[in-house]
Amino acid sequence: MEELYAQHCQVCHGEKLEGGLGASLIDGEWRSDGSIRTLMDILRNGQPEFGMPGFAGQLSESEMRALVIYIQEREKYALEQPPKPEPGTKNVYSVAGERFRLEKVASGLATPWSVAFLPEGRFLVTEKLGGLRIIEANGKFGEPIKRTPAVFNKGQGGLLEVALHPDYAKNGWVYLAFSDADGDVSMTKIVRGKISGNNWVEQETIFEAPKKFYTNRGHHFGCRIAFDDKGYLFFSIGERGQQEQAQDTIRPNGKIHRIHDDGRIPSDNPFVENGFLTIWSYGNRNPQGLDFHPETGVLWESEHGPRGGDELNVIQRGANYGWPIVTYGMNYNGTPITSETSRPGMEQPIHYWTPSIAVCGIDFYEGDAFPSWKNRLLVGSLRQQELHLITLDGESVVRDEIILEDRGRVRDVASGPDGAIYLVLNSPDELARLVSQPKD
Ligand code: HEC
């Protein structure tokens, strides 16, 4: 992409897109409306009256699409002003109408992935290598829980999600999602079990795909779990690096699934007649965040896209989210995937990120400690190391604010029972939290 830009655009728009003969493409100011559609139009047909040549015969539609993504990336980086700690402090921030301190809860974990809240202020945390640990309220922890399932710890695989049954206090069920190995191939699997002392006991398999779907690819396992209030369990499986299979409804990969909390398959799932029985939605690339809106009960999903194509979706029964036929992204190396961002019969994301933030866990804030953030959506990002706060009006995004940046890769975010906002961070590998501070 850099080469394509250097070859065709640089001479007029400058090496850093800062402008020259042509306008700056990164100052946030557009003579037009700056929309994707308009920019594509300008690239195709030029603006002869201003001296901008058209590229219709020279560049393909998908090359022009990739150039527009590139311009949007560079513009965002140029304009961004990350939140900074208050002067004289390292960890106190005033952002988005609230004031908080970033606190370390536990360190010394090995690539933690997910957190769940046990009674009495304790935590359950998964480590990608296979460890499931109880962390005490004071941040101390001992040996990993014994006899948890063996995991395929390669590439992005490992022990990923942990979630408690909504009635955990009564039944003690803990759910784990991980990459299960069969020789050198693997697939997402879900079990539930109980913790007795420091042992994993009474394990039951909740979801396991037939072995013919296992693959040697080491990425895109999905693995988020969310329970609704009717006893259904929703979970995600990424497309396992086999893009086109996300569209194939006889396969489990590239999908959101729905089962009962004990693993039974609901008879009203959308593909029970002619597809993979547990599928709820399809065309999902690598869903890394799942949460129900606390008021509407609607299922929201974040999806790790390619470069420039991270998505926030509202998940509907039987719907197709388009990957890899339509996307707002291009390949990581800057080569185009497609010029198409929409098609009839395929859902549009509610929001997408260009440049990609490597979107990860999401959670609606349900506490009282940050009153103005109630029911807003928290979104973690790996590559950009950002925590976003998204303000919604129904199902549209009104504002997307960065409330924390450069404090680690945010693997998971969770609204804690104490009102604090918990972060599972990678590099540094930590459990941390945002604790409300008095405003003066
Ligand atoms: C021969 C010089 C020249 C080349 C080559 C050129 N541009 Fe331009 N471009 C211009 C000029 C001049 C304008 C109008 C400047 C202004 O808006 O004041 C323009 C306008 C634009 C605009 C619209 C800006 C706005 O504010 O709406 C975009 C987007 C753009 N160019 C992108 C590109 C891209 C991408 C390439 C390479 C594929 C490219 N240009 C190649 C000269 C050039």
Side-chain angles (χ1 to χ4, degrees), residues 36-53:
I36 295 177
R37 182 186 297 265
T38 309
L39 297 185
M40 287 294 285
D41 222 50
I42 293 175
L43 290 199
R44 268 185 219 112
N45 308 318
Q47 292 181 314
E49 68 279 27
F50 299 113
M52 165 70 186

Side-chain angles (χ1 to χ4, degrees), residues 356-413:
S356 293
I357 59 173
V359 65
C360 212
I362 63 173
D363 205 30
F364 284 97
Y365 181 66
E366 294 182 63
D368 297 318
F370 301 107
S372 69
W373 294 354
K374 190 114 179 164
N375 295 337
R376 296 204 207 170
L377 186 68
L378 297 159
V379 175
S381 114
L382 294 169
R383 198 160 55 82
Q384 297 299 328
Q385 304 197 0
E386 293 164 355
L387 178 64
H388 288 237
L389 176 73
I390 299 210
T391 307
L392 298 170
D393 177 10
E395 290 179 1
S396 45
V397 170
V398 181
R399 209 158 50 244
D400 174 9
E401 290 163 278
I402 298 170
I403 57 174
L404 189 71
E405 186 166 352
D406 288 336
R407 303 305 299 258
R409 293 157 61 81
V410 184
R411 181 66 69 178
D412 196 12
V413 53

Side-chain angles (χ1 to χ4, degrees), residues 8-9 12-13 21-23 30-32 43 50-53 55 67:
H8 297 284
C9 323
C12 294
H13 289 286
L21 198 58
W30 298 104
R31 203 162 19 74
S32 61
L43 290 199
F50 299 113
M52 165 70 186
F55 289 88
L67 274 169

Side-chain angles (χ1 to χ4, degrees), residues 72-213:
Q72 290 174 320
E73 282 181 356
R74 298 293 302 259
E75 180 190 17
K76 166 101 194 302
Y77 292 137
L79 296 176
E80 200 167 80
Q81 295 191 330
K84 292 204 174 61
E86 289 178 4
T89 75
K90 274 193 187 145
N91 295 313
V92 179
Y93 293 79
S94 285
V95 220
E98 298 288 356
R99 188 156 180 260
F100 64 82
R101 186 155 47 90
L102 178 68
E103 257 180 32
K104 182 160 60 181
V105 178
S107 53
L109 297 157
T111 320
W113 210 90
S114 168
V115 62
F117 301 101
L118 292 170
E120 288 152 23
R122 302 193 304 162
F123 311 93
L124 260 182
V125 171
T126 51
E127 295 175 312
K128 185 176 169 298
L129 306 175
L132 175 66
R133 289 186 198 266
I134 296 177
I135 298 182
E136 302 297 332
N138 64 8
K140 299 238 156 59
F141 55 87
E143 291 298 302
I145 291 168
K146 294 192 178 68
R147 286 187 274 283
T148 51
V151 301
F152 175 89
N153 174 41
K154 279 194 197 146
Q156 297 170 358
L159 177 57
L160 303 182
E161 175 85 317
V162 56
L164 304 185
H165 191 282
D167 282 331
Y168 171 82
K170 284 195 201 117
N171 61 30
W173 285 121
V174 176
Y175 291 72
L176 299 175
F178 60 97
S179 51
D180 179 46
D182 181 38
D184 55 4
V185 294
S186 67
M187 185 52 85
T188 303
K189 177 172 171 174
I190 298 183
V191 299
R192 71 176 178 183
K194 296 182 182 178
I195 296 166
S196 165
N198 209 41
N199 294 304
W200 180 251
V201 298
E202 294 182 46
Q203 177 172 303
E204 295 177 358
T205 296
I206 294 297
F207 172 85
E208 185 174 29
K211 294 284 190 283
K212 66 176 177 189
F213 295 121

Side-chain angles (χ1 to χ4, degrees), residues 110-361:
T111 320
W113 210 90
S114 168
V115 62
F117 301 101
L118 292 170
E120 288 152 23
R122 302 193 304 162
F123 311 93
L124 260 182
V125 171
T126 51
E127 295 175 312
K128 185 176 169 298
L129 306 175
L132 175 66
R133 289 186 198 266
I134 296 177
I135 298 182
E136 302 297 332
N138 64 8
K140 299 238 156 59
F141 55 87
E143 291 298 302
I145 291 168
K146 294 192 178 68
R147 286 187 274 283
T148 51
V151 301
F152 175 89
N153 174 41
K154 279 194 197 146
Q156 297 170 358
L159 177 57
L160 303 182
E161 175 85 317
V162 56
L164 304 185
H165 191 282
D167 282 331
Y168 171 82
K170 284 195 201 117
N171 61 30
W173 285 121
V174 176
Y175 291 72
L176 299 175
F178 60 97
S179 51
D180 179 46
D182 181 38
D184 55 4
V185 294
S186 67
M187 185 52 85
T188 303
K189 177 172 171 174
I190 298 183
V191 299
R192 71 176 178 183
K194 296 182 182 178
I195 296 166
S196 165
N198 209 41
N199 294 304
W200 180 251
V201 298
E202 294 182 46
Q203 177 172 303
E204 295 177 358
T205 296
I206 294 297
F207 172 85
E208 185 174 29
K211 294 284 190 283
K212 66 176 177 189
F213 295 121
Y214 281 44
T215 146
N216 62 5
R217 307 295 168 92
H219 50 296
H220 300 174
F221 288 92
C223 275
R224 282 297 172 201
I225 291 177
F227 292 92
D228 70 5
D229 53 12
K230 300 179 201 79
Y232 294 110
L233 183 167
F234 291 76
F235 67 93
S236 63
I237 305 184
E239 33 80 309
R240 304 301 330 289
Q242 299 166 112
Q243 304 188 351
E244 64 295 339
Q245 294 183 1
Q247 289 293 319
D248 185 347
T249 51
I250 62 162
R251 293 175 175 276
N253 43 329
K255 315 292 180 328
I256 306 292
H257 298 258
R258 182 179 78 148
I259 52 182
H260 289 287
D261 61 355
D262 58 0
R264 281 175 303 119
I265 297 167
S267 57
D268 60 347
N269 271 359
F271 296 97
V272 284
E273 301 281 320
N274 53 4
F276 197 88
L277 304 180
T278 54
I279 294 177
W280 184 252
S281 75
Y282 65 109
N284 302 107
R285 185 174 179 273
N286 190 24
Q288 294 287 288
L290 272 185
D291 195 26
F292 286 92
H293 190 287
E295 284 180 330
T296 64
V298 166
L299 181 60
W300 289 70
E301 176 240 28
S302 65
E303 192 168 312
H304 210 137
R307 178 168 163 185
D310 288 346
E311 296 184 359
L312 180 65
N313 290 302
V314 160
I315 297 296
Q316 319 264 12
R317 179 184 188 277
N320 180 359
Y321 291 83
W323 175 255
I325 312 287
V326 298
T327 172
Y328 284 88
M330 59 182 164
N331 289 311
Y332 290 118
N333 64 8
T335 56
I337 296 170
T338 164
S339 66
E340 286 183 89
T341 54
S342 66
R343 254 194 209 186
M346 296 185 184
E347 301 302 315
Q348 281 290 297
I350 302 291
H351 190 55
Y352 65 91
W353 286 273
T354 304
S356 293
I357 59 173
V359 65
C360 212

